[in-house]
């Protein structure tokens, strides 16, 4: 996706008036300084940015070889129209600390070569918690559904690029996808959340990242799928649910009601949950049916009695919108996974000592329908 976006932008640059190579001004040396009054005159963009220590800076973006031109063709993907003013050049960043006369030219590579006013592709994500920096966001075209964005923060007086990483700090990339309008938001506790529409699932996917300033990484902290684009996740999602499910499986108890557990008698189950709404037989045993919970026993329904023992806790988890990839992301590599051709589904198994946690879906790319503790 990244290479396509950069190629698309490069093609648009051809349509703008280019500055001849023999007239191009050299870039400002990184680490040098520019007087504030001069910097304000030559800068194309500027943004106020706080660091985590509450120091205020102004980020200026300028190009010594900047050239004014016109967009020559409409671009639906990028939102440009023929005739719009464009500015091209090798843009650099400079940071001016509040109260100082000189700004420091930054070493970070912005990767910015064109600005088309009014610029809406680059913006500041304002902090909402103490000891958290503002984030400077730069976006590029990704697909019709989402854009690719990078995040920058001021740390130790320098503008630094943040890298996305998994929950353990293993780095992914500097780019992540997010919806085109309002696809990134700040959360309390040094976190950000993204959303984008997933065509393959027909739902919105939300990802939450925790900012680690020591390593300048945004570590993936949670994920979930939602039926709407509403920001109702508050940074929670699959991770907490799957962690609770795993902990319940280790103990052999029903999530949310630990009194119901493997090895319990049918009589004891009824004393806790009441009479079942129905009874049915599966391939291996009979079940008590309680809304989205099915209690499996060591007998089929026609042989079941008060002394029948619980051997399985089966949950209907369709409303959780779980995917196999998200399960693996938060629970790690499964003990086993395979296509069950006889039953026509995909099975993912986590062996947990004497217990097992099993997930079932139509195929590897479908949402998980059932989860079983046995």
């Amino acid at each position: 996706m990244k290479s396509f976006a950069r190629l698309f932008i490069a093609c648009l640059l051809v349509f703008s008036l280019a500055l001849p190579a023999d007239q191009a001004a050299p870039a400002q040396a990184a680490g040098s300084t520019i007087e504030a009054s001069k910097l304000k005159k030559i800068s194309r963009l500027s943004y106020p940015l706080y660091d985590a220590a509450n120091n205020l800076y102004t980020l200026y973006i300028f190009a010594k070889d900047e050239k004014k031109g016109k967009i020559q063709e409409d671009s639906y993907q990028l939102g440009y129209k023929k005739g719009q003013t464009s500015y091209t050049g090798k843009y650099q960043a400079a940071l001016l600390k509040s109260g100082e006369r000189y700004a420091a030219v930054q070493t970070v590579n912005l990767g910015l070569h064109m600005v088309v006013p009014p610029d809406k592709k680059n913006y500041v994500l304002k902090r909402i918690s103490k000891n958290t920096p503002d984030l400077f966001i730069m976006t590029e075209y990704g697909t019709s559904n989402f854009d690719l964005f990078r995040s920058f923060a001021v740390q130790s007086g320098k503008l630094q690029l943040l890298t996305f990483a998994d929950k353990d700090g293993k780095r992914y990339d500097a780019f992540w996808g997010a919806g085109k309008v309002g696809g990134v938001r700040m959360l309390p506790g040094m976190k950000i959340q993204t959303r984008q529409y997933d065509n393959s699932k027909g739902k919105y996917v939300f990802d939450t990242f925790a900012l680690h300033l020591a390593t300048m990484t945004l570590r993936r902290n949670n994920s979930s799928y939602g039926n709407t684009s509403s920001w109702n996740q508050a940074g929670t999602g699959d991770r907490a649910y799957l962690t609770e499910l795993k902990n319940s499986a280790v103990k052999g108890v029903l999530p949310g009601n630990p009194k119901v557990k493997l090895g319990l008698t049918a009589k004891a189950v009824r004393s806790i949950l009441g009479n079942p709404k129905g009874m049915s037989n599966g391939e291996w045993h009979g079940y008590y049916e309680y809304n989205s919970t099915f209690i499996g026993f060591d007998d089929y329904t026609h042989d079941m009695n008060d002394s029948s023992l619980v051997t399985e806790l089966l949950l209907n988890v369709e409303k959780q919108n779980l995917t196999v990839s998200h399960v693996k992301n938060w629970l790690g590599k499964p003990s086993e996974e395979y296509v069950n051709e006889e039953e026509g589904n995909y099975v993912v198994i986590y062996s947990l000592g004497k217990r097992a946690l099993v997930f079932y879906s139509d195929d590897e790319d479908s949402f998980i329908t059932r989860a079983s503790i046995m």
Side-chain angles (χ1 to χ4, degrees):
M1 292 187 294
K2 292 183 290 183
S3 59
F4 175 80
R6 291 166 182 164
L7 177 61
F8 204 95
I9 292 173
C11 291
L12 268 184
L13 291 177
V14 175
F15 297 135
S16 297
L17 296 178
L19 184 66
D22 58 354
Q23 296 180 25
Q28 185 81 21
S32 62
T33 59
I34 304 178
E35 191 173 5
S37 58
K38 178 182 178 181
L39 183 60
K40 293 175 183 178
K41 293 179 181 179
I42 66 173
S43 292
R44 180 56 48 198
L45 303 170
S46 63
Y47 308 89
L49 284 175
Y50 279 96
D51 67 7
N54 204 42
N55 296 307
L56 176 61
Y57 293 82
T58 302
L59 169 64
Y60 289 97
I61 295 177
F62 67 98
K64 293 190 70 177
D65 62 347
E66 186 179 65
K67 184 69 176 180
K68 184 177 180 180
K70 296 288 185 181
I71 298 295
Q72 301 298 309
E73 299 290 342
D74 289 344
S75 172
Y76 171 78
Q77 290 87 347
L78 295 178
Y80 298 153
K81 293 184 178 180
K82 182 179 179 179
Q84 273 189 278
T85 299
S86 65
Y87 297 90
T88 59
K90 184 178 180 180
Y91 286 94
Q92 297 178 264
L95 273 181
L96 178 66
K97 190 174 183 179
S98 180
E100 296 189 355
R101 288 183 55 193
Y102 291 88
V105 178
Q106 302 298 292
T107 59
V108 66
N109 181 13
L110 296 176
L112 180 64
H113 301 284
M114 181 168 69
V115 177
V116 180
D119 177 57
K120 296 181 180 180
K121 296 182 178 299
N122 309 304
Y123 57 92
V124 174
L125 204 59
K126 289 292 185 182
R127 62 183 183 168
I128 56 177
S129 299
K130 292 182 178 180
N131 304 318
T132 302
D134 293 330
L135 296 185
F136 175 55
I137 306 295
M138 297 187 69
T139 63
E140 297 181 8
Y141 176 79
T143 72
S144 57
N145 281 342
F146 64 86
D147 283 334
L148 298 169
F149 76 95
R150 290 175 296 155
S151 303
F152 301 79
V154 178
Q155 175 77 338
S156 301
K158 297 179 180 179
L159 185 70
Q160 300 187 42
L161 175 65
L162 297 166
T163 304
F164 291 96
D166 69 10
K167 64 182 185 300
D168 300 316
K170 183 179 179 181
R171 295 173 185 263
Y172 292 142
D173 198 346
F175 286 87
W176 199 262
K180 292 181 176 295
V181 179
V184 187
R185 69 165 177 165
M186 189 76 82
L187 292 175
M190 297 180 75
K191 295 178 183 178
I192 67 168
Q193 189 177 50
T194 66
R195 69 178 173 201
Q196 58 179 289
Y197 187 74
D198 186 341
N199 279 337
S200 67
K201 300 293 190 294
K203 297 180 186 290
Y204 288 87
V205 60
F206 299 82
D207 285 299
T208 306
F209 298 87
L211 174 58
H212 287 246
L213 287 175
T215 58
M216 295 306 291
T217 56
L218 285 163
R219 297 187 182 183
R220 197 176 183 199
N221 182 269
N222 225 316
S223 62
S224 62
Y225 275 91
N227 297 321
T228 71
S229 62
S230 175
W231 289 114
N232 58 3
Q233 311 292 331
T236 61
D238 297 341
R239 187 176 188 178
Y241 178 80
L242 289 169
T243 299
E244 180 187 6
L245 200 58
K246 180 181 177 180
N247 291 339
S248 296
V250 170
K251 299 174 183 177
V253 301
L254 184 67
N257 196 338
K259 291 182 179 180
V260 180
K261 55 187 175 181
L262 298 175
L264 211 62
T265 65
K267 182 178 180 180
V269 170
R270 294 196 304 273
S271 70
I272 298 170
L273 299 178
N275 291 326
K277 292 188 174 182
M279 297 173 65
S280 60
N281 284 320
E283 183 177 0
W284 304 109
H285 43 231
Y287 292 92
Y288 277 176
E289 300 177 2
Y290 295 94
N291 295 326
S292 60
T293 301
F294 302 82
I295 311 298
F297 295 89
D298 58 355
D299 292 315
Y300 289 103
T301 55
H302 56 273
D303 292 324
M304 200 178 297
N305 55 59
D306 286 351
S307 298
S308 297
L309 299 177
V310 176
T311 58
E312 182 184 12
L313 304 171
L314 183 63
L315 308 173
N316 183 333
V317 296
E318 286 184 294
K319 292 183 179 181
Q320 294 296 326
N321 293 321
L322 295 171
T323 63
V324 172
S325 62
H326 281 182
V327 167
K328 290 180 181 179
N329 189 67
W330 303 119
L331 296 187
K333 184 179 179 181
S335 305
E336 189 177 359
E337 60 180 312
Y338 58 90
V339 176
N340 187 334
E341 295 183 354
E342 291 185 2
E343 295 190 9
N345 59 13
Y346 195 79
V347 183
V348 177
I349 302 174
Y350 287 88
S351 297
L352 305 169
K354 296 180 180 180
R355 312 298 184 192
L357 177 59
V358 186
F359 298 94
Y360 304 91
S361 60
D362 291 340
D363 54 59
E364 188 176 4
D365 297 319
S366 298
F367 285 107
I368 292 169
T369 56
R370 295 172 294 151
S372 173
I373 295 173
M374 59 178 65

